[in-house]
Amino acid sequence: MLEVYQPDPFTLRGVTTAISGEARVFVGSMFGQTSPVETFSPLVAAELRLAPGAEIAVVLEETFEYGLLACTEGITIQQVAVPYGVVGCTAPGLRTLGVKNTSDDWARGVLLGGEPV
């Protein structure tokens, strides 16, 4: 069965509480938003769009591992650059993930998480 769901974007606030971008949660729950898409194991997926220079702290499910696919240049996670087209990964156990746009343009990435395989 194929489900089609187009989530509405919502505002992201940065570590300084300034508006820093927007996100769309299309699988699972994150940022207080929950997708209606049914999954057969605990998963989360969200698109992040960050303004130039913006930095956010994402609250994580500690038992999940996460990957952030950089869809543009300028993305860093935990102060480590993630080149365009590459997935930066974390191990389970993190409570928050620092994501920053170091570029002068809007940056976009897809955050994926789930139980370790």
Side-chain angles (χ1 to χ4, degrees):
M1 179 176 90
L2 174 68
E3 278 189 70
V4 177
Y5 172 62
Q6 183 173 349
D8 293 323
F10 56 91
T11 301
L12 289 175
R13 296 204 176 263
V15 294
T16 63
T17 70
I19 294 175
S20 298
E22 66 181 22
R24 297 172 196 257
V25 175
F26 46 92
V27 173
S29 295
M30 183 173 272
F31 303 110
Q33 306 286 317
T34 299
S35 165
V37 174
E38 183 180 0
T39 62
F40 298 100
S41 63
L43 300 171
V44 65
E47 176 192 35
L48 307 177
R49 291 189 66 239
L50 297 179
E55 183 174 8
I56 62 170
V58 181
V59 177
L60 304 176
E61 168 58 52
E62 290 181 64
T63 61
F64 284 9
E65 58 187 353
Y66 288 85
L68 186 118
L69 170 62
C71 299
T72 61
E73 295 292 343
I75 298 280
T76 67
I77 58 172
Q78 302 299 93
Q79 302 177 346
V80 175
V82 181
Y84 167 72
V86 173
V87 177
C89 297
T90 71
L94 285 180
R95 292 181 181 194
T96 58
L97 181 69
V99 182
K100 185 172 183 176
N101 176 3
T102 60
S103 76
D104 294 330
D105 294 314
W106 281 80
R108 193 166 51 91
V110 176
L111 184 61
L112 306 164
E115 293 179 340
V117 268

